[in-house]
């Protein structure tokens, strides 16, 4: 389905991003992976994608807080594969703390990585998509793009910002056969969620079990974590012709969380 197409996926050395990379590679797309981590582990994932799916996969280590590195990542994709057909903005971090003690540098980092990086990637990739008359931009937003939770001021602000950015760019490129959508997952079991458990225990004075049951899964009527493969399945659908009229949409995959 995606043979000959190129996908750039930010924050794809782990969690949801890595699942996107594998799902798109399984359909034949060449992949640019990005993100932090142990270099040997990243190389193992990169080589594994190539050998398992028979596609080309390169790694670019752009730091999503650095606009020049982001631009270089898109230009590297174009010089390697001739174009960028699919762009998935997915890199993200979290910090859980009350507003009055929320560290300023965490606010700045979350806004840069979870929101501004998508502006920089789109700004660089859209001209290539316009030139070829086809493109798919998918932003990993969150249920927190639609509703808020306490102690996540930066994250909720960045994710609501991504919703606005998604809708705006969707309107700008609508006549170029480029769609721009946001996937809004509820809680997905990844390192990002695991890492916020100690912070949430501290912020709310709860035990680990209480955080899982009373905070995380309390929001989700299914009482189950969403899986990375389920999120990747939505992204894959957005790349099909059947999804070509879906644009500017926020697509929840949250076990019923935002239906409440
Ligand atoms: P994760 O921690 O497994 O993955 C995050 C990725 O972002 C990693 O590859 C990491 O290296 C990369 N990253 C972090 N800082 C970076 C930087 N400065 N530059 C480049 N890459 C950087 O987390 P995840 O849960 O897979 O999160 C992926 C996305 O999904 C995030 O945008 C997150 O907000 C969103 N999301 C996650 C959940 C969830 O429950 N896990 C729910 C809704 C939305």
């Amino acid at each position: 389905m995606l043979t000959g197409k190129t996908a750039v996926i930010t924050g794809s050395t782990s969690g949801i991003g890595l699942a996107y990379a594998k799902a798109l590679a399984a359909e034949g797309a060449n992949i640019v992976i990005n993100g932090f981590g142990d270099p040997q582990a990243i190389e193992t994932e990169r080589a594994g994608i190539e050998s398992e799916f028979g596609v080309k996969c390169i790694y670019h280590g752009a730091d999503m807080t650095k606009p020049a590195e982001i631009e270089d990542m898109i230009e590297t994709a174009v010089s390697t594969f001739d174009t960028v057909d699919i762009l998935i903005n997915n890199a993200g971090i979290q910090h859980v703390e009350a507003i009055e003690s929320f560290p300023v540098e965490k606010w700045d980092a979350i806004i840069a990585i979870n929101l501004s990086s998508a502006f920089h990637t789109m700004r660089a990739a859209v001209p290539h998509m316009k030139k070829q008359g086809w493109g798919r931009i998918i932003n990993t937003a969150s249920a927190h793009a639609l509703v808020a939770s306490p102690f996540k001021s930066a994250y909720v602000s960045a994710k609501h910002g991504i919703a606005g950015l998604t809708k705006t760019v969707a309107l700008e490129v609508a006549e170029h056969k480029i769609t721009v959508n946001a996937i809004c997952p509820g809680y997905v079991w990844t390192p990002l969620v695991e890492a916020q458990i100690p912070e949430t225990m501290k912020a709310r004075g709860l035990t680990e079990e209480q955080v899982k049951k009373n905070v995380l899964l309390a929001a989700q009527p299914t009482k189950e974590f969403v899986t990375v493969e389920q999120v990747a399945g939505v992204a894959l659908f957005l790349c099909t012709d059947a999804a070509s009229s879906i644009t500017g949409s926020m697509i929840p995959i949250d076990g019923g969380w935002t239906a409440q």
Side-chain angles (χ1 to χ4, degrees):
M1 179 179 97
L2 301 176
T3 303
K5 297 228 183 304
T6 302
V8 176
I9 306 160
T10 73
S12 46
T13 52
S14 166
I16 296 169
L18 186 56
Y20 287 141
K22 290 181 178 172
L24 269 54
E27 291 297 330
N30 293 320
I31 306 288
V32 179
I33 54 169
N34 157 264
F36 297 154
D38 168 51
Q40 194 47 56
I42 293 172
E43 173 51 22
T44 303
E45 290 293 355
R46 188 206 63 74
I49 288 171
E50 285 198 335
S51 61
E52 186 175 352
F53 303 112
V55 298
K56 199 155 188 273
C57 178
I58 63 167
Y59 168 71
H60 193 290
D63 180 340
M64 290 299 116
T65 65
K66 307 225 162 80
E69 293 186 18
I70 295 171
E71 201 168 319
D72 185 68
M73 178 183 67
I74 299 296
E75 289 318 312
T76 301
V78 172
S79 59
T80 309
F81 298 115
D82 288 334
T83 188
V84 176
D85 304 282
I86 299 161
L87 167 65
I88 306 188
N89 291 302
N90 173 76
I93 59 167
Q94 174 64 289
H95 184 78
V96 183
E97 197 163 336
I99 185 70
E100 59 270 34
S101 54
F102 205 94
V104 172
E105 62 277 11
K106 288 284 182 197
W107 168 274
D108 289 341
I110 289 173
I111 298 299
I113 297 166
N114 297 21
L115 174 58
S116 301
S117 72
F119 162 77
H120 296 296
T121 56
M122 287 197 246
R123 190 171 174 276
V126 160
H128 300 290
M129 292 179 175
K130 276 188 174 172
K131 205 159 75 188
Q132 75 209 9
W134 195 91
R136 292 287 187 267
I137 299 175
I138 299 165
N139 299 321
T140 310
S142 169
H144 283 124
L146 306 169
V147 296
S149 297
F151 311 116
K152 295 185 176 177
S153 52
Y155 189 87
V156 172
S157 300
K159 295 299 185 182
H160 275 63
I162 271 284
L165 182 63
T166 301
K167 292 179 199 175
T168 304
V169 181
L171 297 179
E172 290 183 27
V173 299
E175 293 180 35
H176 295 269
K177 301 202 182 306
I178 304 168
T179 67
V180 189
N181 291 289
I183 299 178
C184 301
Y187 283 106
V188 189
W189 190 252
T190 68
L192 181 140
V193 164
E194 216 175 334
Q196 66 186 275
I197 288 178
E199 290 170 7
T200 309
M201 287 164 66
K202 199 169 149 215
R204 295 186 184 238
L206 299 175
T207 65
E208 182 175 338
E209 272 319 297
Q210 286 170 325
V211 170
K212 280 190 187 162
K213 212 166 139 232
N214 304 347
V215 181
L216 301 181
L217 293 179
Q220 257 164 236
T222 53
K223 299 284 177 255
E224 284 175 5
F225 286 101
V226 180
T227 68
V228 294
E229 290 79 14
Q230 289 166 346
V231 180
V234 176
L236 210 50
F237 174 67
L238 288 171
C239 293
T240 63
D241 286 341
S244 55
S245 290
I246 301 175
T247 195
S249 297
M250 309 295 111
I251 303 170
I253 167 164
D254 63 7
W257 175 352
T258 55
Q260 298 168 100

